[in-house]
């Protein structure tokens, strides 16, 4: 199952960092937050990634093109270009970096990956938030739901998309992007989707969190998985400082072993 990660936005609220790199490449503990997200999925056996780039996509491309060289000692024959890797362990990931356009909105970015999703169920998440959510249990919950999309519901201040839930059926009854009231359960991302959701996205100007999700609510096809553990997005410099402090201590999202 592929893991599709939205990584193309401008990250204007973190301009101190994003003036030189895309937000998913802003580092926590010396590693891009994108790497932390991928380590979570990899821990649960999901290792086939599609990175939906846009703003400064070459920064992401160069990171993965040179990934092994950053982790491993090597000897290079400059005449032939032959490289002998001496030590170190790289990740057993398959990574596709897709340029989805600098100005595409979230829905448009997802639709541009349709040829890579290839009619299969896929995971989807944002490239700026970490969690200790059990991806395996999330996927199993989705498989039994009958929904086209299952989102992860988490507790966080209401500046994020607010949800009204039917706990008896695990269906989302209403979705309001960036609700004004603090508290309650909100959309934490970490979706599992059926390929049918792509037909609900009109074009590059479609925001995933608006028309497609609202249509699924109306159709009774948007479900949720309630995650009661850790979740934190990185929308501001303050959020980055919170994550850095957590990483220096005992990072709650680090479920993998070194």
């Amino acid at each position: 199952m592929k893991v599709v990660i939205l990584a193309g936005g401008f990250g204007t609220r973190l301009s101190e960092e994003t003036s030189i790199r895309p937000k998913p490449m802003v580092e926590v503990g010396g590693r891009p937050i994108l790497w932390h997200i991928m380590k979570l999925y990899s821990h649960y056996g999901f290792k086939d990634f599609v990175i939906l780039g846009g703003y400064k996509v070459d920064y992401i491309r160069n990171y993965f093109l040179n990934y092994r060289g950053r982790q491993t000692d090597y000897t290079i024959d400059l005449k032939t270009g032959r490289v002998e890797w001496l030590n170190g362990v790289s990740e057993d990931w398959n990574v596709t970096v897709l340029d989805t356009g600098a100005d595409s909105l979230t829905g448009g970015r997802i639709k541009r990956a349709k040829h890579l999703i290839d009619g299969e169920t896929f995971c989807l998440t944002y490239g700026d938030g970490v969690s200790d959510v059990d991806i395996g249990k999330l996927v199993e919950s989705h498989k039994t739901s009958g929904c086209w999309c299952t989102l992860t519901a988490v507790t966080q201040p209401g500046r994020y998309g607010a949800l009204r839930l039917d706990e008896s059926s695990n269906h989302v009854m209403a979705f309001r992007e960036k609700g004004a009231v603090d508290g309650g359960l909100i959309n934490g991302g970490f979706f599992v989707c059926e390929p049918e959701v792509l037909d609900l996205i009109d074009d590059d100007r479609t925001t995933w969190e608006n028309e497609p999700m609202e249509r699924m609510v109306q159709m009774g096809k948007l479900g949720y998985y309630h995650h009661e553990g850790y979740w934190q997005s990185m929308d501001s410099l303050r959020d980055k400082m919170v994550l850095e402090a957590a990483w220096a201590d005992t990072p709650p999202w680090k479920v993998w072993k070194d």
Side-chain angles (χ1 to χ4, degrees):
M1 185 183 296
K2 286 184 169 61
V3 180
V4 179
I5 305 179
L6 288 158
F10 290 97
T12 53
R13 286 180 289 183
L14 196 61
S15 59
E16 301 90 344
E17 294 275 355
T18 56
S19 61
I20 58 172
R21 72 191 85 189
K23 185 162 69 164
M25 300 305 293
V26 174
E27 294 184 353
V28 175
R31 302 271 197 166
I33 193 169
L34 178 61
W35 176 89
H36 293 262
I37 296 165
M38 295 168 76
K39 287 292 284 187
L40 171 70
Y41 279 98
S42 176
H43 174 75
Y44 289 102
F46 299 91
K47 303 180 181 183
D48 192 354
F49 298 98
V50 179
I51 312 300
L52 305 182
Y55 172 67
K56 296 188 180 295
V57 65
D58 284 346
Y59 198 106
I60 301 174
R61 285 173 169 162
N62 290 335
Y63 178 80
F64 286 107
L65 280 173
N66 298 292
Y67 187 89
R68 189 169 184 179
R70 289 187 174 93
Q71 318 301 320
T72 309
D73 293 339
Y74 59 86
T75 298
I76 182 170
D77 185 325
L78 295 180
K79 183 176 181 180
T80 65
R82 187 177 68 87
V83 177
E84 178 185 358
W85 303 103
L86 302 179
N87 55 41
V89 178
S90 191
E91 310 291 349
D92 57 341
W93 300 346
N94 185 66
V95 181
T96 301
V97 181
L98 184 66
D99 184 358
T100 59
D103 298 321
S104 297
L105 301 181
T106 49
R109 296 190 192 285
I110 296 166
K111 188 145 189 171
R112 286 198 182 204
K114 183 175 183 178
H115 64 292
L116 298 172
I117 294 167
D118 196 26
E120 298 181 353
T121 304
F122 63 99
C123 291
L124 169 70
T125 195
Y126 303 108
D128 61 357
V130 292
S131 176
D132 61 352
V133 59
D134 187 321
I135 302 297
K137 290 182 178 179
L138 167 61
V139 170
E140 287 304 313
S141 175
H142 173 75
K143 287 179 178 178
T144 61
S145 70
C147 291
W148 285 3
C149 175
T150 299
L151 59 79
T152 300
V154 298
T155 302
Q156 189 71 10
R159 59 195 175 100
Y160 299 93
L163 306 174
R164 180 165 62 83
L165 307 177
D166 180 351
E167 295 184 4
S168 64
S169 66
N170 274 25
H171 278 64
V172 178
M173 305 305 293
F175 183 91
R176 185 178 72 257
E177 179 64 1
K178 301 189 186 303
V181 180
D182 284 352
L185 293 176
I186 54 92
N187 169 30
F190 294 98
F191 306 91
V192 185
C193 302
E194 297 302 320
E196 285 83 355
V197 304
L198 300 173
D199 295 329
L200 302 177
I201 300 170
D202 296 327
D203 52 35
D204 282 352
R205 305 312 300 164
T206 302
T207 301
W208 165 249
E209 300 80 8
N210 290 342
E211 294 92 344
M213 292 183 68
E214 290 167 359
R215 289 169 182 168
M216 281 187 280
V217 169
Q218 294 167 5
M219 298 165 65
K221 290 295 186 180
L222 180 60
Y224 75 94
Y225 174 79
H226 185 189
H227 174 58
E228 298 180 347
Y230 183 85
W231 180 88
Q232 176 65 51
S233 70
M234 186 176 65
D235 274 346
S236 66
L237 187 58
R238 177 187 176 279
D239 293 337
K240 173 178 162 58
M241 294 170 63
V242 167
L243 291 169
E244 287 281 13
W247 184 259
D249 186 14
T250 306
W253 69 90
K254 187 178 179 294
V255 298
W256 61 89
K257 303 294 184 183
D258 291 326

